Amino acid sequence: MKKTIWISYDFGLKGDHEGLYRWLDENNAEERGYGMALIKNFNFPKKYISDRRTDEIFTSVIKKQIKDYTKIEKGDRIYMIWKGIDDSKLKGKFLFGNKKNAPWTGYSQGDNDFIDTEVDG
């Protein structure tokens, strides 16, 4: 079965970019901006499709392949987006690492008319 997946990666300066790049190249990935790749025809073995946990197995297959090519260090992050096999919904999952606070957090002006009624004065 051919699947389209998006891979977002954040390794910092010392990450194993070359290992991930080998895996991306072997899967004919296309560049889609800094730290973003598109694989249009990832070959997912049909033998897994009848399982009730198909999306879970799909992500574990990709995670294992990436780990076979790439040395993952603490702080490295790889996020995958795909159209679900089980239900065709758009899905996303960190294969490695976790989400962080966004760098744009705090830039919004928010509610400037807020009055704090709990302050003694």
Side-chain angles (χ1 to χ4, degrees):
M1 164 187 244
K2 301 287 184 181
K3 290 294 292 175
T4 298
I5 60 174
W6 292 83
I7 298 289
S8 170
Y9 53 94
D10 176 10
F11 286 164
L13 297 174
K14 296 183 179 182
D16 184 11
H17 290 89
E18 288 184 18
L20 181 63
Y21 291 169
R22 272 194 311 276
W23 181 80
L24 290 170
D25 194 28
E26 286 191 14
N27 284 284
N28 300 309
E30 299 175 11
E31 187 268 349
R32 289 295 188 262
Y34 183 76
M36 181 68 80
L38 170 65
I39 300 173
K40 292 182 180 176
N41 290 304
F42 182 83
N43 191 17
F44 181 58
K46 289 183 181 180
K47 67 182 180 179
Y48 296 120
I49 294 174
S50 63
D51 192 292
R52 294 178 306 152
R53 302 170 300 132
T54 304
D55 282 314
E56 184 181 326
I57 292 170
F58 181 58
T59 58
S60 68
V61 165
I62 293 170
K63 183 175 181 173
K64 182 184 179 322
Q65 282 188 8
I66 291 172
K67 200 169 187 175
D68 287 347
Y69 282 77
T70 311
K71 184 177 180 184
I72 302 296
E73 299 286 344
K74 183 178 179 180
D76 291 345
R77 302 182 320 144
I78 298 178
Y79 188 78
M80 184 176 86
I81 302 167
W82 75 102
K83 190 174 180 181
I85 298 167
D86 300 327
D87 57 13
S88 296
K89 292 182 180 180
L90 193 59
K91 299 183 179 192
K93 178 179 181 175
F94 275 97
L95 301 177
F96 302 95
N98 297 296
K99 68 180 185 174
K100 300 193 251 183
N101 288 333
W104 54 85
T105 300
Y107 278 83
S108 172
Q109 296 300 316
D111 187 359
N112 291 333
D113 295 330
F114 175 75
I115 299 173
D116 192 351
T117 58
E118 302 295 321
V119 177
D120 293 330

